[in-house]
Structure formats: structure tokens, C-alpha cells
Amino acid sequence: MKAGNVKEFINNLSIQDEMVRYKEKLYYFYGIRYDSERDIYYTSIDKFGTDIYHFEEEFYRYESKSSVDCLEHLVSDPYWDGKDFYQVENEMTWVDG
């Protein structure tokens, strides 16, 4: 991961949101959240154009009874053109808000 340490990036997702630039688009990771009404953890990623003001779509979403399971799916599901997070993270740039 350019402009940051990938392990730190992943650890941060347990407590906060983060953003990366990948293939000229911005991806906003919402980290791991808890919905107390539904008693479920969830995570999602929104895809933006060249800046945060040009929302395109919800790119990824996962829900689970476990926060650990959410994080594991976030990094291992093949939603990056059939690849998982670790297979493409070296092409990502960690963006500071």
C-alpha cells in the first residue's frame, strides 16, 4: 500500500473509517460498525469518482454476527475485479481525508 502501512490500515478499520485511491477512483471504507437494533456488525465501501463529492455506488457490503468475521470478509472476499484486498493493496494509495 502506497502512502501507508497495510497492517495499520486494516487495524484502523476496527475503530474508524479509511479511504484509498485505486485505479483513479476513491474508495471509502466505513470500517466495522454495529447496529444495536439488529444486533449485527456490518462493513461497507463506497466508490467515488476522482473526489469525495462524486459518489458512484455502494461498492461492497457485508453483515455478520461477528466483527472479526466482517473484517475477515472485507479483506478476503474477491470483490476487486475477482481479487481480494491483499491481491490489490499494493496498487492502492492510502488517502488522508
Side-chain angles (χ1 to χ4, degrees), residues 8-45:
E8 182 181 346
F9 180 87
I10 295 301
N11 287 340
N12 284 357
L13 293 176
S14 296
I15 58 171
Q16 66 189 33
D17 303 341
E18 293 294 349
M19 189 167 37
V20 299
R21 184 171 301 280
Y22 175 67
K23 293 187 176 182
E24 300 183 23
K25 301 285 184 174
L26 286 174
Y27 293 86
Y28 193 93
F29 289 68
Y30 285 95
I32 308 302
R33 297 175 183 232
Y34 180 68
D35 182 337
S36 59
E37 289 182 17
R38 295 175 56 218
D39 189 30
I40 199 160
Y41 292 90
Y42 64 98
T43 186
S44 63
I45 302 171

Side-chain angles (χ1 to χ4, degrees), residues 43-59:
T43 186
S44 63
I45 302 171
D46 283 348
K47 179 180 177 182
F48 293 83
T50 56
D51 61 46
I52 199 76
Y53 303 107
H54 293 93
F55 174 80
E56 290 186 5
E57 65 179 326
E58 183 177 66
F59 179 71

Side-chain angles (χ1 to χ4, degrees), residues 9-16 29-35 38-45 60-80 84-86:
F9 180 87
I10 295 301
N11 287 340
N12 284 357
L13 293 176
S14 296
I15 58 171
Q16 66 189 33
F29 289 68
Y30 285 95
I32 308 302
R33 297 175 183 232
Y34 180 68
D35 182 337
R38 295 175 56 218
D39 189 30
I40 199 160
Y41 292 90
Y42 64 98
T43 186
S44 63
I45 302 171
Y60 177 80
R61 183 173 184 87
Y62 185 79
E63 298 179 350
S64 176
K65 289 286 188 182
S66 162
S67 63
V68 172
D69 183 54
C70 274
L71 190 57
E72 286 176 7
H73 276 269
L74 183 64
V75 297
S76 65
D77 286 353
Y79 55 89
W80 300 97
D84 69 31
F85 176 82
Y86 286 115

